[in-house]
Amino acid sequence: MAPLIRIESLHYTYQHEGGAVQALRGIDLTIEQGEYVVLLGHNGSGKSTLAKHLNALLLPTQGDVWINGWNTKERRHLREIRSTVGMVFQQPDNQIVATIVEEDVAFGPENLGLERQEIRRRVEWSLERVDMLPFRHRAPHLLSGGQKQRVCIAGVLAMQPSVLVLDEATAMLDPIGRQEVLEVARRLNREEGVTIIAVTHFMREAIEADRVLVLHDGKIALQGPPRTLFQQIDRLRALSLDVPHVSELAQALHRRFPAFPPDLLTPQEIAAAVIACCEERREESGERSARKDERGERNRTRDKFTLLTPHSSRPPLLALHHVAHYYMRGTPLEVKAIEDVNIEVHRGEIIGVIGHTGSGKSTAVQHFNGLLKAHEGEVWVLGQNLADPAVDLRAVRRAVGLVFQTPEAQLFEQYVGDDVAYGPRKQGLGPEEVRARVRRAMEAVGLPFEEFKDRITFSLSGGQMRRVAIAGVLALEPQVLVLDEPTAGLDPQARRQLMRHILDLHRQGVTLVIISHNMEELAEICDRIYVIADGRTVMAGTPAEVFSRAAELRAIGLDAPDMTQVAEALKAQGLLPADAVIYTLEQAEAAIAELLLAHGAALVEAPVGEQTR
Amino acid sequence: MNISTRSIVVAGVLIAISAVLAYTGLGYFPVPNVTAAATILHVPPIIGGVLEGPLVGAVVGLVFGFDSFIKFASTVTTSPAYANNPTMGWVAAFIIIFLPRLLIGPAAWWVYKRTRGGNEIVALGAAGVAGSLTNTVLVVGLAILLQVFTFEIVALVLPQAVFEAILAAVVTIAVVAAWKRIEIGRGGSSV
Amino acid sequence: MSEFEYLRNVTIGQYIPTESTVHRLDPRTKLLAALFVALAATSTRSVLATLLLIGLLMGVTRLARIEVRYVLRGLLPAAPFVAALMLMQLLFQGRFSVCETVYWEWGFVRITPCLIELVVLGALRLVIFLFLVSLLTLTTTASHILHGIETLLAPLQRIGLPVHEFALTNIIALRFIPIIAEEMERIAKAQASRGGDFGGAPWWRPDRMARARLPLIVPLFVNTLRRAEEMVVAMEARCYLGRKGRTKFVDLHFTGLDWLVIGLSVLLWVVVWRTPWPTFT
């Protein structure tokens, strides 16, 4: 039987800004029914271009693509090909056609010309598969991102495809939404035998796969099962991908203790491996069981104790005290957005704000520059109470720069320089000063002034546009920069670059407030972290304090960093002291190495020469 | 008739933009005037015409026309000329209110197609002005011709017509140039 | 309330699911009934008949288990507009008014009792139209209204009019309205954070007025057109290849009550049209 998908020497070239771009340069690939394949690669590697060839949205410039034996170049099979290979894209909002969930799911079957009864059956079946049946009569704009994306998947499933292509379908979702979508994909693969092809730049999503393909420069640079592939850390880095901390930890431990398995993929696997190593020893002596119980006890008592914000004697630069805000206030549609948020920011700090989507964290930070007014509570900015009508809001907005989520969506000027200059010009500064500020702001985000000022804004790459937008805020020379999900949707390379520039700003004296879903990122850079849940500040403290309460974080829908999860599992077994502070790779490596050394029976430490391989 | 998916979607989103501009008031500009503020609600049909051709322009205008029909049909049908003749009232209302809105997009498209040989920016400006004037000139002209209003209403509407034409030109140029990455001709930023 | 909450105004004409008999009627019935009431309203020049029609609509509102006050409050924002229209009619329609009595004449302005009656009639007729639209949208979801329009217009498909495409266009428009409103709020806030305001130009400089609002309008159009591009790809990936060979999922059913309501509204039209209602002039 012919394979489900067969691709032979596929080349694809397109015209962009007057030049020819070779997006794909000779891809050969076969995918069988029931496989779970992950396509990794940074932006511009050609992974999405390849995905769009799978259902004839793009046709090869050279070479062939066969789906179920149909060549995609033959237009008469278009309907069959597209109903065989279903695609889900990045932005759920741009895929949902109808204004009622079930009518949207019916869109595909309607296009296939099915009978009304059959459409109804399929709509119900596919909504059921993605756990969205109770929402069938809802309007899509009232759903969360993860729910919307599941509706999109249902819309594709209703055509009963053999293959489901997820083209960066998780990139714009929060961790919960991402989990929801991956869970559905996994289930469809296992239970319904649907072939999954997931295009992503999140390495962690590749863990589920049977096979991982890494695209680079329009070619397949690496492929194999995740376990073997993830061991090639240096090679993956060279391809601008992020290696999960878990893989790095496993290999670091393997280098020191060759018996430690190098190919572990999840925090649970690491913890299990460490426990297994220690168990052997424990069985020999049995001495630790008593100690373990005692530790478990201590763990439990600690959970009851609540952390308080460490109050400094200095007055804070920014403060929200018991702030509440309601949307659509005074209408029948009034909803509570936040009800008791407390945040204090001191000069020179880096503050992290975490909370799942809808927790109110974005609403909270919009009080810092007076975009929103507190309905209850107080907002203090630079020693002024914003409730005071005498406060000059423009001055406040200049002092507290606010960078929104996907800020590139606010660019409007034709030339980069003019867009960055919008703020300073509105402020009424002279041309010399404007020029100087624009130069400083652009260079602070790594856009050389002379090279970029006359570039056309809308033809820059996504990462560059985001930096232009941030420069537009920096040109106001704020004392505090508030960033709402600054790296969301960027590929690892662009993300690292942007974070570097943001940290440089901090070194130059800018105080930072960062909202993020990326716990690893926050754990490494923040002085303090605030956790917002359901419109309230529920935790505050140093990363060590906050992440040591992993169970509570999970209860409000947040994940602790992977390293903390490993540590928590070990603490639960009494292998690590309950008060051990572990949230970075280095901390985890040191603690586990020490633990393994202490239990050294089964493990031999590698000679020093080999450690530094 | 073969209508592309793109035409359907572009027309859809432009209608949505019109609706949002109308609801939020951001489509209106305060101009001292008796009737209403100057509007840029005729810009979506213009942009539809310029980007996707006369049919999309007309469809976007049609929905704008329907909204106007609800607002202005009573004025036409209760005017002394038609108060005693409901059938003619409806016909006049359709001609005065719907027809001009339907023609905004096609007029903009036609002018754009004719003038784009030269400077793209000039062509866009011309399309904006043409679309806008198609609306005001036809509405007022037909209203006078069909005896709904006396000729003197021109004095009232003239400044608004001029304002709207300028607004339409500025917005059309800015939006289409940004979308199609056409250089406005300064060759660089002014910093 | 915040200066950036643009969607707040859109509460007027929102669907209120009270599940009344009126709600359960087929959308086509309600569209046709609205059309016949509008025809009835335009078939008489009697202020009395028009007031009776407004009374009838209030009755229907009660039947739909919606507070009449709620609907009227929704019409209130239109008051300045209605007043402006009345003024225009008063100023610029007088010359066409054939009336023996003339209260006042100056240049082209001629105020007569007949004209005043017509101006009042015009305002009331507009109230009826707005009332009909509110009532329709309060009792019918927008998506049902669109399916109703599509089905009613379906015969026109045979003479080559793109009815399916038009309906799909409107469904997409409806789908995008909340997305665009939200986007607008975000852009406005982002520009405000950079010190932007969207006015400040003198009234005699429309070009500068327009330019002051470009930071809002340009991203709105550009982002929305970009969404449209993605939507096209997503639709085609879901086998949308035009109207040919397509079926429809949504099914509309007429019941006996629907036919009764349509019959009654036709009757209403004929009665209003044929009755010699008293007029003042």
Side-chain angles (χ1 to χ4, degrees), chain A residues 428-464:
Chain A
L429 300 174
E432 279 314 306
E433 175 65 12
V434 169
R435 190 183 164 85
R437 283 188 173 208
V438 171
R439 179 190 294 273
R440 282 198 294 270
M442 286 175 59
E443 281 171 3
V445 291
L447 299 169
F449 179 70
E450 295 299 338
E451 189 188 333
F452 276 91
K453 74 178 169 66
D454 299 329
R455 294 275 287 275
I456 298 205
T457 318
F458 294 100
S459 49
L460 299 177
S461 77
Q464 286 169 335

Short mmCIF file of all heavy atoms in Angstrom, two decimals, chain A residues 428-464:
data_model
loop_
_atom_site.label_atom_id
_atom_site.label_comp_id
_atom_site.label_asym_id
_atom_site.label_seq_id
_atom_site.Cartn_x
_atom_site.Cartn_y
_atom_site.Cartn_z
N GLY A 428 6.19 66.95 22.10
CA GLY A 428 6.56 68.28 21.68
C GLY A 428 8.05 68.57 21.75
O GLY A 428 8.47 69.73 21.87
N LEU A 429 8.88 67.53 21.68
CA LEU A 429 10.33 67.74 21.73
C LEU A 429 10.83 68.26 20.39
O LEU A 429 10.23 68.03 19.35
CB LEU A 429 11.03 66.44 22.08
CG LEU A 429 10.65 65.80 23.42
CD1 LEU A 429 11.31 64.45 23.57
CD2 LEU A 429 11.06 66.73 24.56
N GLY A 430 11.98 68.93 20.42
CA GLY A 430 12.57 69.46 19.19
C GLY A 430 13.17 68.36 18.35
O GLY A 430 13.44 67.27 18.86
N PRO A 431 13.40 68.63 17.05
CA PRO A 431 13.88 67.59 16.14
C PRO A 431 15.20 66.95 16.59
O PRO A 431 15.39 65.74 16.42
CB PRO A 431 14.03 68.31 14.80
CG PRO A 431 13.79 69.74 15.05
CD PRO A 431 13.13 69.90 16.38
N GLU A 432 16.09 67.75 17.16
CA GLU A 432 17.38 67.20 17.59
C GLU A 432 17.19 66.17 18.71
O GLU A 432 17.74 65.08 18.68
CB GLU A 432 18.31 68.33 18.08
CG GLU A 432 18.99 69.06 16.94
CD GLU A 432 19.59 68.11 15.90
OE1 GLU A 432 20.38 67.22 16.30
OE2 GLU A 432 19.26 68.23 14.71
N GLU A 433 16.38 66.58 19.69
CA GLU A 433 16.12 65.70 20.82
C GLU A 433 15.38 64.45 20.37
O GLU A 433 15.68 63.34 20.80
CB GLU A 433 15.32 66.47 21.88
CG GLU A 433 14.87 65.66 23.10
CD GLU A 433 16.02 65.16 23.97
OE1 GLU A 433 17.15 65.61 23.76
OE2 GLU A 433 15.76 64.27 24.81
N VAL A 434 14.41 64.63 19.46
CA VAL A 434 13.66 63.48 18.95
C VAL A 434 14.64 62.50 18.31
O VAL A 434 14.63 61.31 18.58
CB VAL A 434 12.59 63.92 17.94
CG1 VAL A 434 11.99 62.71 17.22
CG2 VAL A 434 11.49 64.70 18.64
N ARG A 435 15.50 63.05 17.46
CA ARG A 435 16.46 62.21 16.74
C ARG A 435 17.35 61.44 17.72
O ARG A 435 17.55 60.24 17.58
CB ARG A 435 17.31 63.14 15.86
CG ARG A 435 18.18 62.42 14.88
CD ARG A 435 19.02 63.47 14.13
NE ARG A 435 20.13 62.83 13.46
CZ ARG A 435 20.04 62.27 12.25
NH1 ARG A 435 18.90 62.30 11.61
NH2 ARG A 435 21.07 61.69 11.71
N ALA A 436 17.83 62.15 18.74
CA ALA A 436 18.72 61.52 19.71
C ALA A 436 18.00 60.40 20.45
O ALA A 436 18.53 59.31 20.65
CB ALA A 436 19.23 62.57 20.70
N ARG A 437 16.74 60.67 20.81
CA ARG A 437 15.99 59.65 21.55
C ARG A 437 15.68 58.45 20.69
O ARG A 437 15.73 57.31 21.14
CB ARG A 437 14.69 60.25 22.07
CG ARG A 437 14.89 61.11 23.27
CD ARG A 437 13.57 61.47 23.82
NE ARG A 437 13.72 62.18 25.08
CZ ARG A 437 12.81 62.15 26.04
NH1 ARG A 437 11.71 61.45 25.86
NH2 ARG A 437 13.00 62.81 27.14
N VAL A 438 15.28 58.71 19.45
CA VAL A 438 14.96 57.61 18.55
C VAL A 438 16.20 56.74 18.37
O VAL A 438 16.14 55.52 18.40
CB VAL A 438 14.43 58.13 17.20
CG1 VAL A 438 14.29 57.00 16.20
CG2 VAL A 438 13.10 58.83 17.41
N ARG A 439 17.34 57.40 18.21
CA ARG A 439 18.58 56.67 18.03
C ARG A 439 18.85 55.78 19.24
O ARG A 439 19.10 54.58 19.13
CB ARG A 439 19.74 57.65 17.84
CG ARG A 439 21.10 56.96 17.67
CD ARG A 439 22.23 57.97 17.73
NE ARG A 439 22.22 58.90 16.60
CZ ARG A 439 22.81 58.66 15.42
NH1 ARG A 439 23.43 57.52 15.22
NH2 ARG A 439 22.76 59.54 14.45
N ARG A 440 18.77 56.38 20.44
CA ARG A 440 19.05 55.60 21.65
C ARG A 440 18.08 54.44 21.80
O ARG A 440 18.46 53.32 22.11
CB ARG A 440 18.97 56.51 22.89
CG ARG A 440 20.19 57.39 23.09
CD ARG A 440 20.25 57.92 24.52
NE ARG A 440 19.17 58.84 24.83
CZ ARG A 440 19.24 60.17 24.65
NH1 ARG A 440 20.32 60.72 24.15
NH2 ARG A 440 18.23 60.93 24.97
N ALA A 441 16.78 54.73 21.53
CA ALA A 441 15.76 53.69 21.73
C ALA A 441 15.97 52.54 20.76
O ALA A 441 15.90 51.37 21.13
CB ALA A 441 14.37 54.29 21.55
N MET A 442 16.26 52.87 19.52
CA MET A 442 16.43 51.82 18.52
C MET A 442 17.66 50.99 18.84
O MET A 442 17.66 49.77 18.72
CB MET A 442 16.51 52.41 17.11
CG MET A 442 15.16 52.87 16.60
SD MET A 442 15.23 53.71 15.01
CE MET A 442 15.93 52.42 13.98
N GLU A 443 18.74 51.69 19.23
CA GLU A 443 19.95 50.93 19.49
C GLU A 443 19.84 50.07 20.73
O GLU A 443 20.43 49.00 20.81
CB GLU A 443 21.17 51.87 19.47
CG GLU A 443 21.47 52.09 18.00
CD GLU A 443 22.48 53.12 17.60
OE1 GLU A 443 23.09 53.74 18.51
OE2 GLU A 443 22.65 53.29 16.39
N ALA A 444 19.00 50.53 21.68
CA ALA A 444 18.80 49.73 22.90
C ALA A 444 18.15 48.38 22.58
O ALA A 444 18.31 47.43 23.33
CB ALA A 444 17.93 50.50 23.88
N VAL A 445 17.41 48.29 21.49
CA VAL A 445 16.81 47.00 21.14
C VAL A 445 17.51 46.35 19.96
O VAL A 445 16.98 45.45 19.32
CB VAL A 445 15.29 47.13 20.84
CG1 VAL A 445 14.53 47.48 22.10
CG2 VAL A 445 15.04 48.15 19.75
N GLY A 446 18.72 46.84 19.68
CA GLY A 446 19.53 46.17 18.67
C GLY A 446 19.14 46.47 17.24
O GLY A 446 19.34 45.65 16.35
N LEU A 447 18.57 47.66 17.01
CA LEU A 447 18.27 48.06 15.65
C LEU A 447 19.15 49.27 15.34
O LEU A 447 18.83 50.38 15.77
CB LEU A 447 16.80 48.45 15.50
CG LEU A 447 15.75 47.37 15.77
CD1 LEU A 447 14.36 47.99 15.84
CD2 LEU A 447 15.79 46.30 14.69
N PRO A 448 20.26 49.09 14.62
CA PRO A 448 21.15 50.23 14.34
C PRO A 448 20.37 51.35 13.66
O PRO A 448 19.67 51.11 12.67
CB PRO A 448 22.21 49.63 13.42
CG PRO A 448 22.18 48.17 13.68
CD PRO A 448 20.78 47.84 14.09
N PHE A 449 20.49 52.56 14.20
CA PHE A 449 19.69 53.71 13.78
C PHE A 449 19.80 53.98 12.28
O PHE A 449 18.79 54.01 11.57
CB PHE A 449 20.14 54.93 14.58
CG PHE A 449 19.43 56.20 14.24
CD1 PHE A 449 18.10 56.38 14.58
CD2 PHE A 449 20.09 57.24 13.59
CE1 PHE A 449 17.44 57.56 14.28
CE2 PHE A 449 19.44 58.42 13.28
CZ PHE A 449 18.12 58.58 13.62
N GLU A 450 21.03 54.14 11.79
CA GLU A 450 21.19 54.52 10.38
C GLU A 450 20.65 53.43 9.46
O GLU A 450 20.08 53.71 8.42
CB GLU A 450 22.67 54.79 10.06
CG GLU A 450 23.27 55.98 10.79
CD GLU A 450 22.57 57.30 10.46
OE1 GLU A 450 21.92 57.39 9.40
OE2 GLU A 450 22.65 58.23 11.29
N GLU A 451 20.82 52.19 9.88
CA GLU A 451 20.43 51.09 9.01
C GLU A 451 18.90 50.92 8.97
O GLU A 451 18.33 50.57 7.95
CB GLU A 451 21.09 49.82 9.53
CG GLU A 451 20.96 48.62 8.62
CD GLU A 451 21.47 47.35 9.29
OE1 GLU A 451 22.35 47.45 10.18
OE2 GLU A 451 20.96 46.27 8.94
N PHE A 452 18.24 51.18 10.10
CA PHE A 452 16.83 50.82 10.19
C PHE A 452 15.86 51.99 10.10
O PHE A 452 14.69 51.79 9.86
CB PHE A 452 16.55 50.04 11.47
CG PHE A 452 16.85 48.57 11.33
CD1 PHE A 452 18.11 48.08 11.64
CD2 PHE A 452 15.88 47.70 10.86
CE1 PHE A 452 18.39 46.74 11.49
CE2 PHE A 452 16.16 46.35 10.71
CZ PHE A 452 17.42 45.87 11.03
N LYS A 453 16.33 53.24 10.33
CA LYS A 453 15.35 54.32 10.46
C LYS A 453 14.51 54.53 9.21
O LYS A 453 13.36 54.94 9.29
CB LYS A 453 16.03 55.62 10.88
CG LYS A 453 16.83 56.33 9.80
CD LYS A 453 17.41 57.63 10.35
CE LYS A 453 18.41 58.28 9.44
NZ LYS A 453 17.92 58.78 8.18
N ASP A 454 15.08 54.25 8.04
CA ASP A 454 14.33 54.47 6.81
C ASP A 454 13.76 53.19 6.21
O ASP A 454 13.28 53.18 5.08
CB ASP A 454 15.22 55.17 5.77
CG ASP A 454 15.68 56.53 6.27
OD1 ASP A 454 14.92 57.17 7.03
OD2 ASP A 454 16.79 56.96 5.91
N ARG A 455 13.81 52.11 6.99
CA ARG A 455 13.22 50.86 6.49
C ARG A 455 11.70 50.94 6.58
O ARG A 455 11.15 51.62 7.46
CB ARG A 455 13.71 49.67 7.32
CG ARG A 455 15.20 49.40 7.18
CD ARG A 455 15.49 48.54 5.97
NE ARG A 455 15.08 47.16 6.18
CZ ARG A 455 15.84 46.25 6.77
NH1 ARG A 455 17.04 46.57 7.22
NH2 ARG A 455 15.42 45.01 6.89
N ILE A 456 11.03 50.23 5.69
CA ILE A 456 9.56 50.23 5.72
C ILE A 456 9.09 49.31 6.85
O ILE A 456 9.42 48.13 6.89
CB ILE A 456 8.99 49.79 4.36
CG1 ILE A 456 9.46 50.81 3.33
CG2 ILE A 456 7.47 49.68 4.43
CD1 ILE A 456 8.60 50.92 2.12
N THR A 457 8.33 49.89 7.76
CA THR A 457 7.93 49.18 8.97
C THR A 457 7.29 47.83 8.67
O THR A 457 7.63 46.82 9.27
CB THR A 457 6.92 50.03 9.76
OG1 THR A 457 7.37 51.38 9.76
CG2 THR A 457 6.79 49.54 11.17
N PHE A 458 6.35 47.84 7.73
CA PHE A 458 5.54 46.65 7.54
C PHE A 458 6.26 45.55 6.75
O PHE A 458 5.71 44.50 6.52
CB PHE A 458 4.21 47.00 6.88
CG PHE A 458 3.35 47.84 7.78
CD1 PHE A 458 3.27 49.22 7.61
CD2 PHE A 458 2.66 47.26 8.82
CE1 PHE A 458 2.49 50.00 8.44
CE2 PHE A 458 1.88 48.03 9.67
CZ PHE A 458 1.81 49.40 9.48
N SER A 459 7.50 45.81 6.31
CA SER A 459 8.19 44.71 5.64
C SER A 459 9.28 44.09 6.51
O SER A 459 10.05 43.27 6.04
CB SER A 459 8.73 45.16 4.28
OG SER A 459 9.44 46.34 4.40
N LEU A 460 9.34 44.49 7.78
CA LEU A 460 10.30 43.86 8.69
C LEU A 460 9.80 42.48 9.12
O LEU A 460 8.64 42.16 8.97
CB LEU A 460 10.49 44.73 9.94
CG LEU A 460 11.03 46.15 9.72
CD1 LEU A 460 11.07 46.88 11.05
CD2 LEU A 460 12.40 46.11 9.08
N SER A 461 10.70 41.70 9.71
CA SER A 461 10.28 40.40 10.24
C SER A 461 9.49 40.62 11.53
O SER A 461 9.55 41.70 12.12
CB SER A 461 11.51 39.54 10.53
OG SER A 461 12.12 39.98 11.73
N GLY A 462 8.79 39.58 11.96
CA GLY A 462 7.98 39.69 13.17
C GLY A 462 8.80 40.12 14.39
O GLY A 462 8.40 41.01 15.14
N GLY A 463 9.97 39.51 14.56
CA GLY A 463 10.81 39.85 15.70
C GLY A 463 11.30 41.29 15.62
O GLY A 463 11.35 41.99 16.63
N GLN A 464 11.65 41.73 14.42
CA GLN A 464 12.11 43.11 14.26
C GLN A 464 10.98 44.10 14.54
O GLN A 464 11.18 45.12 15.20
CB GLN A 464 12.64 43.33 12.84
CG GLN A 464 13.99 42.66 12.60
CD GLN A 464 14.36 42.67 11.13
OE1 GLN A 464 13.51 42.72 10.25
NE2 GLN A 464 15.66 42.61 10.87
#
